[in-house]
PDB file of all heavy atoms in Angstrom:
ATOM      1  N   ARG A 141      -9.227  15.166 -18.346  1.00  0.00           N
ATOM      2  CA  ARG A 141      -8.217  16.281 -18.852  1.00  0.00           C
ATOM      3  C   ARG A 141      -8.867  17.210 -19.723  1.00  0.00           C
ATOM      4  O   ARG A 141      -8.562  18.410 -19.649  1.00  0.00           O
ATOM      5  CB  ARG A 141      -7.169  15.488 -19.657  1.00  0.00           C
ATOM      6  CG  ARG A 141      -5.947  15.338 -18.789  1.00  0.00           C
ATOM      7  CD  ARG A 141      -4.898  14.868 -19.768  1.00  0.00           C
ATOM      8  NE  ARG A 141      -3.946  14.007 -18.939  1.00  0.00           N
ATOM      9  CZ  ARG A 141      -3.404  12.893 -19.249  1.00  0.00           C
ATOM     10  NH1 ARG A 141      -3.636  12.442 -20.437  1.00  0.00           N
ATOM     11  NH2 ARG A 141      -2.763  12.188 -18.400  1.00  0.00           N
ATOM     12  N   SER A 142      -9.788  16.765 -20.692  1.00  0.00           N
ATOM     13  CA  SER A 142     -10.457  17.724 -21.536  1.00  0.00           C
ATOM     14  C   SER A 142     -11.099  18.813 -20.796  1.00  0.00           C
ATOM     15  O   SER A 142     -12.114  18.551 -20.092  1.00  0.00           O
ATOM     16  CB  SER A 142     -11.278  17.082 -22.620  1.00  0.00           C
ATOM     17  OG  SER A 142     -11.728  15.854 -22.041  1.00  0.00           O
ATOM     18  N   GLY A 143     -10.499  20.084 -20.866  1.00  0.00           N
ATOM     19  CA  GLY A 143     -11.282  21.173 -20.265  1.00  0.00           C
ATOM     20  C   GLY A 143     -10.956  21.372 -18.796  1.00  0.00           C
ATOM     21  O   GLY A 143     -11.522  22.303 -18.135  1.00  0.00           O
ATOM     22  N   SER A 144     -10.090  20.502 -18.210  1.00  0.00           N
ATOM     23  CA  SER A 144      -9.939  20.618 -16.779  1.00  0.00           C
ATOM     24  C   SER A 144      -8.622  21.438 -16.383  1.00  0.00           C
ATOM     25  O   SER A 144      -8.413  21.675 -15.128  1.00  0.00           O
ATOM     26  CB  SER A 144      -9.739  19.204 -16.190  1.00  0.00           C
ATOM     27  OG  SER A 144      -8.504  18.668 -16.568  1.00  0.00           O
ATOM     28  N   GLY A 145      -7.891  21.703 -17.367  1.00  0.00           N
ATOM     29  CA  GLY A 145      -6.488  22.446 -17.095  1.00  0.00           C
ATOM     30  C   GLY A 145      -5.476  21.551 -16.624  1.00  0.00           C
ATOM     31  O   GLY A 145      -4.481  22.046 -16.231  1.00  0.00           O
ATOM     32  N   LEU A 146      -5.763  20.195 -16.602  1.00  0.00           N
ATOM     33  CA  LEU A 146      -4.701  19.222 -16.223  1.00  0.00           C
ATOM     34  C   LEU A 146      -3.739  19.119 -17.357  1.00  0.00           C
ATOM     35  O   LEU A 146      -4.055  19.198 -18.479  1.00  0.00           O
ATOM     36  CB  LEU A 146      -5.192  17.897 -15.864  1.00  0.00           C
ATOM     37  CG  LEU A 146      -6.105  17.827 -14.566  1.00  0.00           C
ATOM     38  CD1 LEU A 146      -6.671  16.398 -14.437  1.00  0.00           C
ATOM     39  CD2 LEU A 146      -5.273  18.182 -13.453  1.00  0.00           C
ATOM     40  N   PRO A 147      -2.462  18.996 -17.092  1.00  0.00           N
ATOM     41  CA  PRO A 147      -1.455  18.797 -18.216  1.00  0.00           C
ATOM     42  C   PRO A 147      -1.727  17.541 -18.988  1.00  0.00           C
ATOM     43  O   PRO A 147      -2.247  16.526 -18.374  1.00  0.00           O
ATOM     44  CB  PRO A 147      -0.015  18.689 -17.459  1.00  0.00           C
ATOM     45  CG  PRO A 147      -0.427  18.975 -15.999  1.00  0.00           C
ATOM     46  CD  PRO A 147      -1.816  18.886 -15.742  1.00  0.00           C
ATOM     47  N   ASP A 148      -1.426  17.588 -20.293  1.00  0.00           N
ATOM     48  CA  ASP A 148      -1.666  16.387 -21.056  1.00  0.00           C
ATOM     49  C   ASP A 148      -0.450  15.455 -21.097  1.00  0.00           C
ATOM     50  O   ASP A 148      -0.573  14.258 -21.338  1.00  0.00           O
ATOM     51  CB  ASP A 148      -1.932  16.803 -22.488  1.00  0.00           C
ATOM     52  CG  ASP A 148      -3.385  17.410 -22.633  1.00  0.00           C
ATOM     53  OD1 ASP A 148      -4.184  17.084 -21.867  1.00  0.00           O
ATOM     54  OD2 ASP A 148      -3.422  18.224 -23.563  1.00  0.00           O
ATOM     55  N   ARG A 149       0.723  15.924 -20.694  1.00  0.00           N
ATOM     56  CA  ARG A 149       1.983  15.073 -20.724  1.00  0.00           C
ATOM     57  C   ARG A 149       2.789  15.156 -19.496  1.00  0.00           C
ATOM     58  O   ARG A 149       2.633  16.256 -18.859  1.00  0.00           O
ATOM     59  CB  ARG A 149       2.749  15.368 -21.900  1.00  0.00           C
ATOM     60  CG  ARG A 149       2.060  15.349 -23.235  1.00  0.00           C
ATOM     61  CD  ARG A 149       2.820  15.630 -24.439  1.00  0.00           C
ATOM     62  NE  ARG A 149       4.011  16.619 -24.013  1.00  0.00           N
ATOM     63  CZ  ARG A 149       4.835  17.136 -24.908  1.00  0.00           C
ATOM     64  NH1 ARG A 149       4.732  16.862 -26.117  1.00  0.00           N
ATOM     65  NH2 ARG A 149       5.768  18.014 -24.562  1.00  0.00           N
ATOM     66  N   ALA A 150       3.494  14.081 -19.093  1.00  0.00           N
ATOM     67  CA  ALA A 150       4.211  14.154 -17.867  1.00  0.00           C
ATOM     68  C   ALA A 150       5.368  15.249 -17.974  1.00  0.00           C
ATOM     69  O   ALA A 150       5.612  15.882 -16.897  1.00  0.00           O
ATOM     70  CB  ALA A 150       4.898  12.702 -17.689  1.00  0.00           C
ATOM     71  N   ASP A 151       5.870  15.431 -19.092  1.00  0.00           N
ATOM     72  CA  ASP A 151       6.912  16.552 -19.273  1.00  0.00           C
ATOM     73  C   ASP A 151       6.311  17.943 -19.058  1.00  0.00           C
ATOM     74  O   ASP A 151       7.071  18.797 -18.639  1.00  0.00           O
ATOM     75  CB  ASP A 151       7.833  16.374 -20.482  1.00  0.00           C
ATOM     76  CG  ASP A 151       6.869  16.395 -21.683  1.00  0.00           C
ATOM     77  OD1 ASP A 151       5.764  16.521 -21.791  1.00  0.00           O
ATOM     78  OD2 ASP A 151       7.733  16.293 -22.786  1.00  0.00           O
ATOM     79  N   ASP A 152       4.997  18.045 -19.259  1.00  0.00           N
ATOM     80  CA  ASP A 152       4.407  19.384 -18.913  1.00  0.00           C
ATOM     81  C   ASP A 152       4.388  19.655 -17.403  1.00  0.00           C
ATOM     82  O   ASP A 152       4.484  20.791 -16.966  1.00  0.00           O
ATOM     83  CB  ASP A 152       2.974  19.352 -19.500  1.00  0.00           C
ATOM     84  CG  ASP A 152       2.908  19.553 -21.076  1.00  0.00           C
ATOM     85  OD1 ASP A 152       3.986  19.876 -21.657  1.00  0.00           O
ATOM     86  OD2 ASP A 152       1.902  19.274 -21.638  1.00  0.00           O
ATOM     87  N   VAL A 153       4.207  18.436 -16.770  1.00  0.00           N
ATOM     88  CA  VAL A 153       4.144  18.595 -15.243  1.00  0.00           C
ATOM     89  C   VAL A 153       5.509  19.019 -14.750  1.00  0.00           C
ATOM     90  O   VAL A 153       5.708  19.872 -13.854  1.00  0.00           O
ATOM     91  CB  VAL A 153       3.738  17.210 -14.607  1.00  0.00           C
ATOM     92  CG1 VAL A 153       3.844  17.310 -13.014  1.00  0.00           C
ATOM     93  CG2 VAL A 153       2.230  16.911 -14.960  1.00  0.00           C
ATOM     94  N   VAL A 154       6.468  18.317 -15.226  1.00  0.00           N
ATOM     95  CA  VAL A 154       7.922  18.554 -14.833  1.00  0.00           C
ATOM     96  C   VAL A 154       8.305  20.011 -15.144  1.00  0.00           C
ATOM     97  O   VAL A 154       8.955  20.706 -14.374  1.00  0.00           O
ATOM     98  CB  VAL A 154       8.985  17.585 -15.538  1.00  0.00           C
ATOM     99  CG1 VAL A 154      10.269  17.994 -15.219  1.00  0.00           C
ATOM    100  CG2 VAL A 154       8.609  16.181 -15.045  1.00  0.00           C
ATOM    101  N   ALA A 155       7.866  20.525 -16.335  1.00  0.00           N
ATOM    102  CA  ALA A 155       8.220  21.885 -16.834  1.00  0.00           C
ATOM    103  C   ALA A 155       7.317  22.845 -16.102  1.00  0.00           C
ATOM    104  O   ALA A 155       7.506  24.064 -16.389  1.00  0.00           O
ATOM    105  CB  ALA A 155       8.191  21.926 -18.340  1.00  0.00           C
TER     106      ALA A 155
END
Side-chain angles (χ1 to χ4, degrees):
R141 261 192 211 135
S142 21
S144 70
L146 291 175
D148 288 331
R149 300 181 332 185
D151 54 4
D152 287 343
V153 173
V154 173

